[in-house]
Structure formats: C-alpha cells, structure tokens
C-alpha cells in the first residue's frame, strides 16, 4: 500500500519530468524556427540559426554551412553557395553535372523551376549513391556514399549573376532541411513546375 505522501512525491516527480521534456521540446522548436539573415554578394539568405557557418574550404565557395544530422544519420549535411560571374556555364550543363555526380544505378532525379524574390531558379533534387569529392577539386578524387541526397539550386539574379546553392549529405538530413533551403531564398515547392529548357 502506497502512502498518500509517497504517492504525491511520485506524482510530482512525474509532473516535473513531463514539464522538463516539454520545455526542452519547446526550446528546440523555437531554435529551429529562428533564422539569421546572411548577405552573400547580391543575395540575402534567411538561414536557420542551427545551421553553422564555416569558413569556405576553397576559393570557389562564397559561403558554406553545416546542417546538424537528424536522428538516424551519423554525418551532418553541407550547404555550399558559389557564384562564378555570368551564368556559370549555363543551367543545363550544371544540371547534367550534378546528376552525373550520382551513380546511375538506383539514382532518382527531379528537376523543377520556379521564381523567388531575387529571380528565377532551377532546383535539382537527386538521391542515391553520391560520388563525394575528396580533397582539392583539381584532383577530382571521389568517394562513393550511398543513401545520399543533393538539392541543388541555380538562382538567376536578374542583371547580376547566377548563384549556386548546393545542399548535400545523408538522405534524411537533407530531406529534413529541404523546406528551410527553399525558405532561405524565398522559394515555395508548391509553386514549382517541371523544368523546361
């Protein structure tokens, strides 16, 4: 038989645990909703506060961010922003190059287009085994990484240049960041249409 005092103590302990869990969940949700404005040449991205800015690992990158791994993934994802002046080799060539970075076996790719506040864009969503670049780009060394995903964006800023946003990493983590990536440059998946060259 449990005494009323013991019963109250157990009840208050359970209530305290529930309140602590709720507070942690609310804090995590609030942190995920926070964004920082990041100015990168002609564009300003609204980047989630938990995406960690890192110094660009090579001179071809204007900025890069690490996206925390979601539960079940061991590695974080990475967002890289680049611009090479002008069209950067053209939309079709870059779409083909990105798709070619995945093994053809088991690869899934979808190419869409839309319009954001800074201009028209093309978005490439690819999943499968990614041939991840290892070391300096000039060496062209790669490592095959299964269960990967890439969401690449070619954003044409009118009268300026093309900007390339490339989000790569484990499938689940990239999937979890897909909406935030679109939101960062003012895009909406529901307004996108199949890509037409």
């Amino acid at each position: 038989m449990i005494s009323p005092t013991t019963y109250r103590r157990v009840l208050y302990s359970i209530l305290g645990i529930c309140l602590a869990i709720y507070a942690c969940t609310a804090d995590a949700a609030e942190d995920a909703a926070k964004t920082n404005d990041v100015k990168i040449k002609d564009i300003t991205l609204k980047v989630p506060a938990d995406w960690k800015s890192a110094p660009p690992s090579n001179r071809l990158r204007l900025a890069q961010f690490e996206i925390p791994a979601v539960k079940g993934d061991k590695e974080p994802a990475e967002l890289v922003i680049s611009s090479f002046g002008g069209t950067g080799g053209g939309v079709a060539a870059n779409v083909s190059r990105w798709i070619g970075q995945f093994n053809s076996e088991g690869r899934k790719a979808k190419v869409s287009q839309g319009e954001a506040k800074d201009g028209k864009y093309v978005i490439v969503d690819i999943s499968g085994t990614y041939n991840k670049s290892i070391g300096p780009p000039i060496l062209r060394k790669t490592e095959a990484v299964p269960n990967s995903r890439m969401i690449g964006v070619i954003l044409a800023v009118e009268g300026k240049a093309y900007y390339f946003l490339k989000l790569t990493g484990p499938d689940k983590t990239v999937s979890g960041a897909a909406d935030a990536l679109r939101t960062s440059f003012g895009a909406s998946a529901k307004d996108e249409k199949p890509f037409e060259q």
Side-chain angles (χ1 to χ4, degrees):
M1 183 95 178
I2 298 175
S3 72
T5 304
T6 304
Y7 179 78
R8 279 195 299 272
R9 284 182 185 155
V10 170
L11 188 62
Y12 289 144
S13 294
I14 292 170
L15 182 60
I17 291 168
C18 290
L19 288 172
I21 290 170
Y22 173 78
C24 288
T25 304
D27 287 347
E30 189 177 315
D31 286 347
K34 289 181 184 174
T35 60
N36 297 319
D37 286 353
V38 180
K39 174 94 171 136
I40 304 167
K41 286 198 169 185
D42 304 306
I43 61 175
T44 299
L45 302 178
K46 288 195 172 296
V47 177
D50 63 345
W51 291 12
K52 295 177 186 172
S53 177
S57 61
N58 64 58
R59 61 183 182 80
L60 300 176
R61 299 178 173 193
L62 297 174
Q64 68 185 57
F65 297 88
E66 183 181 286
I67 291 90
V70 299
K71 189 175 180 180
D73 282 342
K74 294 178 182 176
E75 298 291 325
E78 179 183 62
L79 173 64
V80 173
I81 297 97
S82 307
S83 181
F84 311 102
T87 63
V91 173
N94 280 289
V95 168
S96 295
R97 181 172 58 82
W98 283 344
I99 292 173
Q101 289 174 351
F102 281 72
N103 290 350
S104 57
E105 187 177 340
R107 176 179 66 202
K108 293 180 182 175
K110 179 183 177 184
V111 186
S112 308
Q113 62 187 25
E115 191 160 358
K117 59 183 175 61
D118 289 320
K120 294 181 180 178
Y121 67 90
V122 172
I123 190 162
V124 187
D125 190 342
I126 318 158
S127 58
T129 298
Y130 177 50
N131 295 308
K132 183 179 179 180
S133 181
I134 303 295
I138 195 166
L139 296 180
R140 297 183 181 269
K141 287 189 176 180
T142 61
E143 174 189 7
V145 184
N147 301 314
S148 295
R149 187 171 176 187
M150 175 199 297
I151 301 177
V153 178
I154 303 169
L155 176 61
V157 180
E158 195 171 342
K160 302 289 184 181
Y162 282 32
Y163 285 80
F164 300 85
L165 291 72
K166 185 178 173 186
L167 173 62
T168 54
D171 194 322
K172 287 182 185 175
T173 298
V174 171
S175 297
D179 287 344
L181 174 64
R182 281 182 170 90
T183 300
S184 75
F185 66 98
S188 172
K190 67 180 178 60
D191 296 327
E192 292 169 2
K193 297 175 181 176
F195 175 58
E196 296 176 1
Q197 293 191 31

